[in-house]
Amino acid sequence: MDLLVQVLINGTLLGGLYAMMALGLALVWGVLNIVNLAHGAFIMLGAYVSLYLFTYLHIDPFLGLPITAAVMFAIGYCVQRGLLNLIVRAPMFNTLLITFGLEVVLTYLAQLAFSADFRTINPSYAGDSIVLGPVVLPLARLLAFGVAIALTVGMWVFLLHTTLGRAIRATAQNLVAARLYGVEPRHLYAVTFGIGIALAGTAGGLYGTVSQINPYIGAALTAKSFAISIIGGLDNPLGVIVGGLFLGILESLTALYIGPTYADVASFGVLVLVLIVRPTGLLGKAA
Amino acid sequence: MLKISGLSAALIAAAVAMSSGSAVAKDIVLGASVQLTGPVANTGRYYRDAYQLAVDKINEAGGVKVGHETYTLALKLYDNQSDVNLSVRQYTQLVSRDKVNFLLGPFASNFALADSAVSEKYQIPMVQGGGASDQIFSRKFKYIFGTLAPASHYFGSTVEMMKGLDPAPKSVALLYADDAFDVSVAEGTRPKLKEAGLTLAMDERYSTNATDFNSLLSQIKSKNVDAVLVAGHETEILNFVRQAKSLAVAPKMYSFTVGVPSEDFRKALGKDADYAFGMTAWLPSADLKDQWFGDAAQFASAFKAKFNYDPDYHAASGAADVEALVKAVEDAGTIDPAKVRDALSKVDFDSLYGRIAFNENGQIDLPQTVIQIQDGKLVAIQGVHGKIAAPKYPMPAWDAR
C-alpha cells in the first residue's frame, strides 16, 4: 500500500513537470496554430540558461526562473518576428518543416556552445526531501510541481481576464475582427510565441534540477509535450494539467505493475486512443 | 653538440626520405564512423581522440613497416550523428567509395552489431573497441575483432567482491536498458548471482534513454533490496543516482556498468557520486607496457595533454584497436585484407590497454577491475589478483553523508 501511495505521488509530481513542459507548446499551437517541433530544444536551452545562471552567477535555480523566462521570451519573440511570422498563414506542412529545421539548428548550436557533456543543475538542496511517514516527497520535484501548477493556473487567468490575453484569444479566433479593434497581429504573434518559449524555458530550468541535461534531450521532450497537449486538449490550459498528471501517473503505475519498458508504450497508446475516441482532448469541447 | 646532433638527424631523415623514394608517400587508410554529434557524442569523442593520438604516435615513430616499405597511417573519420542507420551507410561508403584499407569501430554495441555486417560483406577487417555485446561475436563473422571484454562478464568481478562484503548483501536488484549491450550484461549476470547465492529480488528491463526511475527506486526501497546492479547508459545512471537521493533510497551498495570511470560523470554529480561502484577493464597504470607510448600512464598523460580530459577504458581500447591493426599488417607483411585478417586472429602483444590476443570469435577477455568513487576520487577496489583497497560499504543514508 505504501508503495502504491509513493508511486502515485511520484507520478503526480512527474505529471506536474510534464504539464509545465507542454504548456508552452499547447499555447503556441492553440493560438498561433504552429506545431512547434523545436519546443523541446527551447526547453533544453532554458535548462542551459538556468545552469549558467546557477554555475557562474550563483543564482538559485528557482529564484533565477524569472530571468530564464525573460531571456527565453526575448529569444522566442525574435524567432517569431524574424522567422515564423513569414509562414504564419502558410500550410501546416511549412510550419512543421521550419520548426523541425529550427530544432536541428538549435540542438547542434547547443552542442557547439555547451559540448555534448552531461550537466546537472545541482543546488545543495536538490536531493533533499520531505518525509511523511512511509512516503517521501522530493523537494525539487515538489517545488517544480508548485511552479508548474501556479504558472498553468496563471496562464488560464491571463488568457481569460487580461487585455493582452483577450487580444491573443481574439486574434486566434478571428484575425480580421481583431485587426479592426486595433490589434497588431505580427507583434501579438511574437508576444504569444515569446510567452510560449518563456514557459518552455522555465520548464527547462525545472527539468535541469531533477534530471540530467545535454543538447539532445529536446526531441523526446517535444514528443512528450505533444502527447500531453493532445490528451489534455488545446483550448484550455487546465486541460494541459489534466493531460500532464494523467500521463505522469499512468507511466508510473505502468512501470510498477507492468514493467518500466512499457511506460512509453502506455503513454503513446493512450495518445492514439484519445485521437480516435476524443480528438479534442480529455477536457476539450466535444467536436 | 645539440646543434650537430640536430643537423645529423635532419641529414639522416633527408637521406632516408630520398632512398625510400615513393614509399614515404604511401598511406594505410583506417576508416571509421564515430559519434561526434548526437546523444552519444560524449563517449564517441573518446574513440575519435584515441584513434588520432595512436595514429599520430605510430607515424612519429616511423610509421608501419610492410616488407621493405614504410607506410604512413591516415585516418578517415565520419560523424554518424549517433544514428545507427547513418553509421551503416558511412561504413559502406568507407569501403566502397573511399576504398579505405581497414576499419576501426564505432562506439556502442548496437552500432558495432550493425556495422560489422558491412565489414563482413566486403571482407575488410574491422577492429573495434566500442561494442561488447556477446551478440556481435556469436555470429561466426570472420572480419570483426573486439577489444572490450564480453558484456556477459561485466559484473563478474563485482559479484566476486560482493561475496566478501560484510554484512553480506542478500538480495539484489538487476536493472538493465533494452539494448544489445545491456541485455547481454543482464543475461551474463543472472547465473553469477545465482551461483553466489544471492536472491534476485528485482529483474527489470527499462527503455533506453529512460529519464524517470522513481517507480523502480520506490520498489527498491519497499523491497529493502541490499544491492542494486544497473546496466545502462551514463545519462540514465546520472538520473538514477539523482533520483535515488531525492527519494532517500540508499541500498547497501549500487554498481553501474558505465559512468563511474568517466570524469564527466563525477563532475556532474559532485559529491553525490561518492560510494558508487563501477568497473573498468583498464586503469592508466605504468605496469601496462606499450611499444609506442611506453606504458599506459604515459598514454594517459599524452591524451590529457592533447585533448584536455582524462581518457577512460573506451579511449584505451580505441588506441589498442589501431595498434592491433598495425601489428597485424606488420606480421602479415602485406596490406591484403584477407591476409591481415588471418594475422589479426593470431596477434598476441602487450599494449597500453592490456594483452591483445583474440579468441576464435574475435574477442579478447580482459578482467574488470571493481572501482568505487571515494571522496570524489576513483579507487580500484578489486582486480584479478584480489583485493586492492577497502570498499566503502555499506553506503550510508543520504542524510548521513
Side-chain angles (χ1 to χ4, degrees), chain A residues 88-129:
Chain A
V88 98
R89 265 181 296 274
M92 178 68 103
F93 182 71
N94 295 34
T95 65
L96 290 179
L97 209 60
I98 205 160
T99 56
F100 176 72
L102 194 59
E103 196 259 347
V104 174
V105 169
L106 289 176
T107 303
Y108 282 83
L109 282 179
Q111 184 181 341
L112 272 180
F114 313 122
S115 86
D117 287 2
F118 319 121
R119 309 287 175 84
T120 54
I121 303 174
N122 214 357
S124 57
Y125 57 83
D128 290 356
S129 46

Side-chain angles (χ1 to χ4, degrees), chain B residues 224-300:
Chain B
N224 207 7
V225 175
D226 291 334
V228 179
L229 307 182
V230 188
H233 309 91
E234 275 185 335
T235 50
E236 295 151 15
I237 307 292
L238 272 177
N239 283 335
F240 184 89
V241 173
R242 292 193 86 193
Q243 291 166 18
K245 183 183 181 188
S246 70
L247 284 171
V249 179
K252 288 196 176 74
M253 66 162 281
Y254 49 40
S255 177
F256 308 104
T257 47
V258 297
V260 176
S262 87
E263 190 182 324
D264 205 21
F265 178 86
R266 303 193 290 275
K267 252 197 232 158
L269 283 175
K271 59 182 174 21
D272 294 343
D274 282 348
Y275 298 97
F277 283 98
M279 62 203 64
T280 180
W282 178 79
L283 287 163
S285 142
D287 298 337
L288 293 167
K289 300 297 176 203
D290 184 85
Q291 179 184 336
W292 289 280
F293 289 96
D295 58 49
Q298 289 178 48
F299 164 77

Side-chain angles (χ1 to χ4, degrees), chain B residues 337-360:
Chain B
K339 290 191 175 125
V340 171
R341 189 230 83 89
D342 292 341
L344 267 170
S345 68
K346 292 189 202 91
V347 291
D348 189 349
F349 69 102
D350 289 317
S351 77
L352 63 105
Y353 176 61
R355 184 177 160 225
I356 307 288
F358 301 103
N359 65 18
E360 56 178 9

